[in-house]
Amino acid sequence: MRGVLDGAPTRARLLPPDTTDFTGRLSELAALTDPNTLCTSKTAPHASQLFVVTGAGGTGKTALAVRAARLAGDSFPDAHLYADLGGYTGAPTPVPDVLRRFLRALGATGPLPADQTELVGMFRTTLAGRRTLVVLDDAADEAQVRPLLPAGPDTLAVVTSRNWLGGLAGALPLRLGPMPEAEAAAMLARVLGARWTGTEDVDGLLALCGYLPLAIRIAAARLLSRPQMSVDDLCDQLRDERRRLKRLTAGDITVHGVLTSSYDALETGDRKVFRRLALLRGFDFCPEAAAQVAGITREEAQEALDRMADRSVVRPEAETGRYSLHSLARLFAADRLAADETPEAVHAAEAGHLRWVLSRLRDAADLVNPCLVRLPASEGGAHPEADAVADADANAVADADANAAGGLGAAARSPARNGRYTTTAGPQDAAPAHREAALAWLDAERHNLLALVRHHRRSGDPAVCWIIPDALRGYYHQRRRLREWTRMADIGMAAARHERNLRAQAAMHLSLGMACFAANRLGEAEDNYQRAVELGLGSGWQEIEAAAYRNLAGVALAQGDTATSEKYMTLWAELNERLDLRLDSALPEQEDARAEDRDAASGASGASAASAASGSQSTPQPTHDPAAAEEWSALSRREQTVARLVVQGLTNQQIAKRIRCSPETVKFHLRNIFRKLGIGSRVEIARFVLASGAPS
């Protein structure tokens, strides 16, 4: 070794040329070059500094590392070393080859040993006491990097890799992603140089490039090589998703090639998961969605996503448990999916994921607001028997919230699932357990649901376009996302009109009416509710007709027209009566059975109300007055139910909970009872019920 190193060490300068039009990445540059973080003999204790820059291929890791090395180079004058380790070339550079190159650059002469351990010793001996900077580009793993790191003080090492090299002790990580929009625009302008006029509308081009530095450089190169091509012309070419990756090519530099090298480095099972991610619509996704589309368990999907995140193939998002796939990587995944899997397998995977999404969406909607009228199951492609169940269950309702959208709708919907998309969730795919969990899931998935609707509007099942907004109505009302609500309902309306589905159109008009009411656009809300009534009549869907009447009453009340509001409330009550809500048969067998425990404490008050009506402390018995019995039969079934609950001593709020309506609706029924019976107090109602012989 002594003979090899007898010569004076040279001041090696192996850094590649700097990128003259390097733009942005200011915070990352600051971290790499800040004198307070760099370990020099003047500013910090003696120790080496190690940075690991990770990110997907094409994010500009090499350009950043070289620029930072040149900016910090004056602090490390003795040697600037650089090596391309070829981690994603398919044949990583052997460590001994890199060490020999470094030693030759540092002045070693004569034959060098073949043993890697001896080479490492020579390398570190040569660097002892020297202020050295080392850049290791495109590392495959930690084992390739460790022998190449300088061990002495006053050294800086910058490693770039697509892999998350978490095993390097003491390393400071920097993760690169797509460029911020402003930096991307500045980079494009700088690369184009004189070709840039400042008048081009580049937003679309940058979005098509996914704000990826490599793709932006390639797009700029295409513009520079084709003077006759405008930015709009290039955008038109890149909008074709099937050809975008092929067109993002400049000489021997291609986005497709970079993505291929990342894909080839994945394990076989992870490649399948990656391909199937192309079937997920929207920006980000959760492990459950990946599991469904890939046909594996949630735990297997989580492990696969973590491995791909470590390789910068997917990106962990700030929200815990969610990941994203770059737009160009998604196109590549779609290409591989079409090439490597059969159409039947792809269709089955997409259909299975859709069933899961719609099933979980229905579960979440039930928790957010179970009392909204919704489309019968047959409108989403269910079998007739499923539709019959849904319609029967939809009859067992009252209105939801008297203050919402002019009433929010009168009928509660069925818990039955859409027949075409019915699925059974496994234990690892359990639906949200409570309302807050349902709202959180919808908050996370709302953009993906909109993307799913848009996808099916372009090419897919049109029923999805109205099933999803119909299920989201309660969520949108709760969160007041009015613009998104309107956009979603408009897409559903367009699909429903194209398919000439009257019930779906009615549901979308009800949704748009609620959105307009929430935005205080009462005239538009009224128009939409009127159309919902007309379409409900035309399609024989009485539940939505009743809901629209209830909401029209709310609109009229908001406009100060109490007479019209009362008219619509009467129409709503009469229609509910015709629907045969079956509350009378349900109350004695189900509600009253549950009421024994729930209202035990109010038993005394119920007895006292009855006693007040009869003037006795004992439990009164019906008198079976024929005249009272005749008047009793003149009351609607809902009014009879309210009267019986008054006898039990329940308040308006308690009655509303029992029959699933708003307290305002209870007041409405009480006014009708007072008017029909010619009485004016709750005590008189109790006395009348007892006199009529009606069961209480």
Side-chain angles (χ1 to χ4, degrees), residues 569-648:
M569 285 296 290
T570 300
L571 290 171
W572 167 78
E574 292 175 351
L575 184 54
N576 271 345
E577 187 65 27
R578 293 200 302 272
L579 288 172
D580 186 19
L581 298 181
R582 299 179 299 166
L583 282 175
D584 287 333
S585 59
L587 276 170
E589 299 174 10
Q590 300 173 24
E591 291 289 347
D592 287 346
R594 291 194 296 266
E596 290 182 7
D597 294 329
R598 187 171 63 228
D599 296 323
S602 65
S605 62
S608 62
S611 298
S614 62
S616 169
Q617 291 294 329
S618 61
T619 303
Q621 300 297 319
T623 60
H624 303 286
D625 183 348
E630 184 177 350
E631 289 183 283
W632 171 261
S633 64
L635 299 179
S636 69
R637 295 195 178 196
R638 180 61 66 85
E639 290 162 356
Q640 291 175 359
T641 300
V642 171
R644 283 197 297 268
L645 294 175
V646 167
V647 175
Q648 296 180 24

Side-chain angles (χ1 to χ4, degrees), residues 181 202-212 216 244 326-328:
E181 187 173 345
V202 299
D203 292 345
L205 177 60
L206 295 174
L208 290 168
C209 292
Y211 303 97
L212 191 70
I216 295 171
R244 187 183 305 172
H326 189 272
S327 58
L328 298 179

Side-chain angles (χ1 to χ4, degrees), residues 86 152 186 198 209 211 217 250 278 340 378 395 401 514 557 596 670 681:
C209 292
Y211 303 97
R217 288 190 176 279
D340 298 347
S378 60
N395 285 339
D401 178 2
M514 289 172 58
L557 194 62
E596 290 182 7
L670 289 173
S681 71

Side-chain angles (χ1 to χ4, degrees), residues 653-664:
Q653 191 74 30
Q654 291 170 327
I655 294 173
K657 289 182 179 180
R658 290 282 287 273
I659 65 174
R660 291 180 294 173
C661 71
S662 66
E664 286 77 8

Side-chain angles (χ1 to χ4, degrees), residues 522-571:
L522 300 182
E524 295 177 56
E526 183 178 10
D527 291 342
N528 277 290
Y529 292 148
Q530 292 287 7
R531 283 293 295 148
V533 169
E534 295 168 7
L535 291 163
L537 287 168
S539 61
W541 188 12
Q542 292 183 317
E543 289 81 9
I544 203 164
E545 184 187 349
Y549 281 142
R550 179 65 183 82
N551 292 357
L552 282 167
V555 171
L557 194 62
Q559 293 171 332
D561 189 348
T562 56
T564 300
S565 178
E566 192 77 16
K567 179 193 74 173
Y568 283 127
M569 285 296 290
T570 300
L571 290 171

